[in-house]
PDB file of all heavy atoms in Angstrom:
ATOM      1  N   THR A 428     111.990  27.713 148.307  1.00 97.00           N
ATOM      2  CA  THR A 428     110.889  27.225 147.464  1.00 97.00           C
ATOM      3  C   THR A 428     111.181  25.834 146.902  1.00 97.00           C
ATOM      4  O   THR A 428     110.267  25.168 146.414  1.00 97.00           O
ATOM      5  CB  THR A 428     110.637  28.190 146.291  1.00 97.00           C
ATOM      6  OG1 THR A 428     111.889  28.432 145.652  1.00 97.00           O
ATOM      7  CG2 THR A 428     110.042  29.500 146.765  1.00 97.00           C
ATOM      8  N   ALA A 429     112.447  25.417 146.970  1.00 97.00           N
ATOM      9  CA  ALA A 429     112.880  24.076 146.535  1.00 97.00           C
ATOM     10  C   ALA A 429     112.240  23.624 145.221  1.00 97.00           C
ATOM     11  O   ALA A 429     111.454  22.667 145.196  1.00 97.00           O
ATOM     12  CB  ALA A 429     112.607  23.062 147.648  1.00 97.00           C
ATOM     13  N   PRO A 430     112.583  24.263 144.134  1.00 97.00           N
ATOM     14  CA  PRO A 430     111.986  23.881 142.849  1.00 97.00           C
ATOM     15  C   PRO A 430     112.235  22.415 142.477  1.00 97.00           C
ATOM     16  O   PRO A 430     111.417  21.809 141.799  1.00 97.00           O
ATOM     17  CB  PRO A 430     112.645  24.835 141.845  1.00 97.00           C
ATOM     18  CG  PRO A 430     113.805  25.427 142.544  1.00 97.00           C
ATOM     19  CD  PRO A 430     113.514  25.392 143.991  1.00 97.00           C
ATOM     20  N   TRP A 431     113.379  21.852 142.913  1.00 96.00           N
ATOM     21  CA  TRP A 431     113.672  20.444 142.619  1.00 96.00           C
ATOM     22  C   TRP A 431     112.610  19.535 143.241  1.00 96.00           C
ATOM     23  O   TRP A 431     112.208  18.545 142.642  1.00 96.00           O
ATOM     24  CB  TRP A 431     115.088  20.083 143.077  1.00 96.00           C
ATOM     25  CG  TRP A 431     115.497  20.809 144.346  1.00 96.00           C
ATOM     26  CD1 TRP A 431     115.285  20.396 145.616  1.00 96.00           C
ATOM     27  CD2 TRP A 431     116.144  22.090 144.439  1.00 96.00           C
ATOM     28  NE1 TRP A 431     115.761  21.322 146.512  1.00 96.00           N
ATOM     29  CE2 TRP A 431     116.301  22.373 145.821  1.00 96.00           C
ATOM     30  CE3 TRP A 431     116.601  23.019 143.495  1.00 96.00           C
ATOM     31  CZ2 TRP A 431     116.876  23.547 146.286  1.00 96.00           C
ATOM     32  CZ3 TRP A 431     117.187  24.180 143.967  1.00 96.00           C
ATOM     33  CH2 TRP A 431     117.317  24.450 145.336  1.00 96.00           C
ATOM     34  N   THR A 432     112.106  19.936 144.424  1.00 97.00           N
ATOM     35  CA  THR A 432     111.041  19.135 145.052  1.00 97.00           C
ATOM     36  C   THR A 432     109.720  19.355 144.308  1.00 97.00           C
ATOM     37  O   THR A 432     108.967  18.413 144.060  1.00 97.00           O
ATOM     38  CB  THR A 432     110.885  19.534 146.541  1.00 97.00           C
ATOM     39  OG1 THR A 432     112.181  19.551 147.114  1.00 97.00           O
ATOM     40  CG2 THR A 432     110.005  18.576 147.293  1.00 97.00           C
ATOM     41  N   LEU A 433     109.473  20.637 143.941  1.00 97.00           N
ATOM     42  CA  LEU A 433     108.239  20.923 143.191  1.00 97.00           C
ATOM     43  C   LEU A 433     108.204  20.075 141.915  1.00 97.00           C
ATOM     44  O   LEU A 433     107.157  19.543 141.527  1.00 97.00           O
ATOM     45  CB  LEU A 433     108.163  22.411 142.818  1.00 97.00           C
ATOM     46  CG  LEU A 433     108.042  23.406 143.981  1.00 97.00           C
ATOM     47  CD1 LEU A 433     108.143  24.839 143.472  1.00 97.00           C
ATOM     48  CD2 LEU A 433     106.713  23.199 144.722  1.00 97.00           C
ATOM     49  N   ALA A 434     109.383  19.919 141.292  1.00 96.00           N
ATOM     50  CA  ALA A 434     109.453  19.130 140.052  1.00 96.00           C
ATOM     51  C   ALA A 434     109.105  17.672 140.336  1.00 96.00           C
ATOM     52  O   ALA A 434     108.303  17.063 139.633  1.00 96.00           O
ATOM     53  CB  ALA A 434     110.842  19.245 139.440  1.00 96.00           C
ATOM     54  N   LYS A 435     109.703  17.152 141.405  1.00 96.00           N
ATOM     55  CA  LYS A 435     109.449  15.745 141.759  1.00 96.00           C
ATOM     56  C   LYS A 435     107.981  15.515 142.052  1.00 96.00           C
ATOM     57  O   LYS A 435     107.406  14.491 141.719  1.00 96.00           O
ATOM     58  CB  LYS A 435     110.274  15.383 143.005  1.00 96.00           C
ATOM     59  CG  LYS A 435     111.539  14.657 142.643  1.00 96.00           C
ATOM     60  CD  LYS A 435     112.185  14.070 143.880  1.00 96.00           C
ATOM     61  CE  LYS A 435     113.690  14.219 143.766  1.00 96.00           C
ATOM     62  NZ  LYS A 435     114.320  14.606 145.002  1.00 96.00           N
ATOM     63  N   GLU A 436     107.382  16.503 142.712  1.00 97.00           N
ATOM     64  CA  GLU A 436     105.970  16.346 143.104  1.00 97.00           C
ATOM     65  C   GLU A 436     105.001  16.703 141.972  1.00 97.00           C
ATOM     66  O   GLU A 436     103.794  16.698 142.163  1.00 97.00           O
ATOM     67  CB  GLU A 436     105.681  17.240 144.329  1.00 97.00           C
ATOM     68  CG  GLU A 436     106.412  16.762 145.575  1.00 97.00           C
ATOM     69  CD  GLU A 436     106.356  17.773 146.720  1.00 97.00           C
ATOM     70  OE1 GLU A 436     105.862  18.913 146.493  1.00 97.00           O
ATOM     71  OE2 GLU A 436     106.812  17.428 147.825  1.00 97.00           O
ATOM     72  N   GLY A 437     105.553  17.071 140.835  1.00 96.00           N
ATOM     73  CA  GLY A 437     104.704  17.378 139.674  1.00 96.00           C
ATOM     74  C   GLY A 437     103.922  18.679 139.818  1.00 96.00           C
ATOM     75  O   GLY A 437     102.905  18.873 139.147  1.00 96.00           O
ATOM     76  N   LYS A 438     104.374  19.585 140.687  1.00 97.00           N
ATOM     77  CA  LYS A 438     103.672  20.873 140.855  1.00 97.00           C
ATOM     78  C   LYS A 438     104.184  21.856 139.795  1.00 97.00           C
ATOM     79  O   LYS A 438     104.927  22.808 140.087  1.00 97.00           O
ATOM     80  CB  LYS A 438     103.889  21.421 142.265  1.00 97.00           C
ATOM     81  CG  LYS A 438     103.266  20.524 143.326  1.00 97.00           C
ATOM     82  CD  LYS A 438     103.443  21.108 144.705  1.00 97.00           C
ATOM     83  CE  LYS A 438     102.765  20.227 145.731  1.00 97.00           C
ATOM     84  NZ  LYS A 438     103.311  20.344 147.071  1.00 97.00           N
ATOM     85  N   THR A 439     103.804  21.628 138.580  1.00 96.00           N
ATOM     86  CA  THR A 439     104.372  22.342 137.435  1.00 96.00           C
ATOM     87  C   THR A 439     104.094  23.839 137.472  1.00 96.00           C
ATOM     88  O   THR A 439     104.957  24.642 137.131  1.00 96.00           O
ATOM     89  CB  THR A 439     103.790  21.743 136.135  1.00 96.00           C
ATOM     90  OG1 THR A 439     103.806  20.335 136.287  1.00 96.00           O
ATOM     91  CG2 THR A 439     104.572  22.159 134.928  1.00 96.00           C
TER      92      THR A 439
END
Side-chain angles (χ1 to χ4, degrees):
T428 51
W431 35 88
T432 312
L433 295 173
K435 261 191 219 139
E436 292 169 353
K438 295 182 178 155
T439 317

